[in-house]
């Protein structure tokens, strides 16, 4: 590790893991075990977006939203969901690759609301 905290991964290890320049990696730290893992997250051509969606807290709501995203080619990389108000409102957060999305972000937002019955959709490119 150098004085700026940068770590060099030897070329033989990069090749064995299929790591390429500009590839996005996720750093996972286990502070109790004092371990750090680097996980390949997205290729260099990925166009990442953070999507936060508010949905009704009813069975099938999340599936409808996921289907609306899949219909236009959004590739989900990381997701997390939680109930905000039991039986009323839930939130779904995802990091997605939108490089193959067949529509713009405004149209994507409308489709998720119309087809996925979402209450609110926030999309932010990373």
């Amino acid at each position: 590790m150098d004085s700026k905290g940068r770590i060099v991964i030897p070329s033989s290890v990069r090749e064995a893991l299929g790591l390429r320049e500009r590839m996005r990696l996720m750093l996972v730290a286990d502070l109790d075990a004092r371990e750090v893992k680097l996980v390949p997250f997205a290729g260099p051509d990925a166009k990442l977006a953070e999507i936060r969606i508010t949905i009704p807290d009813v069975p099938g709501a999340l599936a409808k939203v996921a289907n609306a995203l899949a219909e236009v080619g959004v590739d989900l990389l990381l997701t997390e969901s939680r109930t905000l108000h039991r039986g009323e409102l839930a939130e779904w957060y995802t990091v997605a690759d939108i490089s193959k999305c067949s529509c713009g972000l405004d149209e994507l937002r409308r489709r998720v609301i119309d087809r996925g019955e979402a209450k609110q959709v926030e999309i932010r490119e990373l």
Side-chain angles (χ1 to χ4, degrees), residues 75-95:
D75 183 12
L76 305 176
L77 303 174
L78 171 77
T79 74
E80 180 180 307
S81 62
R82 66 188 179 110
T83 298
L84 299 175
H85 300 286
R86 185 80 176 130
E88 294 178 28
L89 206 57
E91 181 179 65
W92 188 37
Y93 169 83
T94 183
V95 174

Side-chain angles (χ1 to χ4, degrees), residues 46-58:
K47 184 177 176 184
L48 298 184
E50 176 183 76
I51 306 172
R52 189 173 303 275
I53 304 170
T54 305
I55 56 176
D57 184 33
V58 296

Side-chain angles (χ1 to χ4, degrees), residues 35-123:
E35 294 178 344
V36 173
K37 294 179 185 178
L38 287 176
V39 180
F41 190 67
D45 298 329
K47 184 177 176 184
L48 298 184
E50 176 183 76
I51 306 172
R52 189 173 303 275
I53 304 170
T54 305
I55 56 176
D57 184 33
V58 296
L62 183 57
K64 286 180 182 179
V65 171
N67 192 49
L69 293 171
E71 285 175 356
V72 293
V74 174
D75 183 12
L76 305 176
L77 303 174
L78 171 77
T79 74
E80 180 180 307
S81 62
R82 66 188 179 110
T83 298
L84 299 175
H85 300 286
R86 185 80 176 130
E88 294 178 28
L89 206 57
E91 181 179 65
W92 188 37
Y93 169 83
T94 183
V95 174
D97 179 1
I98 58 171
S99 63
K100 293 184 174 70
C101 184
S102 61
C103 62
L105 296 184
D106 287 336
E107 174 64 19
L108 176 60
R109 191 176 289 107
R110 279 192 298 276
R111 281 177 172 258
V112 171
I113 289 172
D114 293 345
R115 290 200 174 103
E117 300 180 22
K119 304 277 188 199
Q120 183 178 1
V121 178
E122 298 172 25
I123 303 173

